[in-house]
Amino acid sequence: MAIVKILLGYFLAVIVATALGSAVHTQMIIAGLTEAGALIQPDVRLGMTFNDFVGLAPQFGVVVAIALAIGFLIAAVLKRVLKPLAPIAFPLAGAAAIAVALTVMHIAFDGITPIAGARTPLGFALECLAGAAGGLVFSMAAGRRRG
């Protein structure tokens, strides 16, 4: 039964991190457009957010899934050694996993970050926060908070 909780927690974490990361991406782009003088109505903003999720989810979701799997495996090992960090191991791992994934994509795409919303320090940090939220969801759903 524990494996079912872990897998369910992992899939929920991937969905949450992907959805939040996609929303951050969209809102950062909209913020840039607004700074340039564009007026974007709330309904258009919502539609753009939904459309970006649908468009980004297949590719970005795979990247998030791989990153979180690696991050959560490392966290599961490290939290046994670094017991004081055990309660925050998975949120920290989620944030770090997204940071590494974004950095690897930046390098792989020859200096261009394909997730445009992560091209600024704020956008990068918010994307990492989406990963941390995924880690928190995993921790709660899988019951992995203790050391």
Side-chain angles (χ1 to χ4, degrees):
M1 194 60 170
I3 191 74
V4 173
K5 284 177 71 175
I6 291 170
L7 289 174
L8 177 64
Y10 170 71
F11 288 119
L12 288 173
V14 170
I15 291 166
V16 166
T18 301
L20 289 175
S22 175
V24 164
H25 161 77
T26 305
Q27 297 311 311
M28 292 301 294
I29 290 171
I30 291 172
L33 293 171
T34 302
E35 284 178 24
L39 296 173
I40 301 173
Q41 299 299 320
D43 61 325
V44 173
R45 195 178 272 262
L46 187 59
M48 290 172 71
T49 303
F50 176 76
N51 289 335
D52 277 354
F53 175 73
V54 170
L56 277 176
Q59 296 86 6
F60 187 52
V62 168
V63 170
V64 169
I66 293 168
L68 291 183
I70 294 168
F72 292 168
L73 285 171
I74 293 170
V77 171
L78 288 180
K79 75 179 196 147
R80 297 185 193 295
V81 178
L82 304 171
K83 292 197 184 289
L85 292 179
I88 61 167
F90 293 109
L92 195 58
I98 297 303
V100 169
L102 290 171
T103 302
V104 167
M105 285 191 290
H106 180 80
I107 293 166
F109 285 90
D110 204 22
I112 297 170
T113 302
I115 305 300
R119 291 181 185 157
T120 65
L122 176 61
F124 187 89
L126 291 173
E127 291 290 343
C128 292
L129 194 57
L136 182 61
V137 166
F138 176 76
S139 187
M140 292 168 52
R144 308 310 265 170
R145 286 174 274 183
R146 288 186 279 279

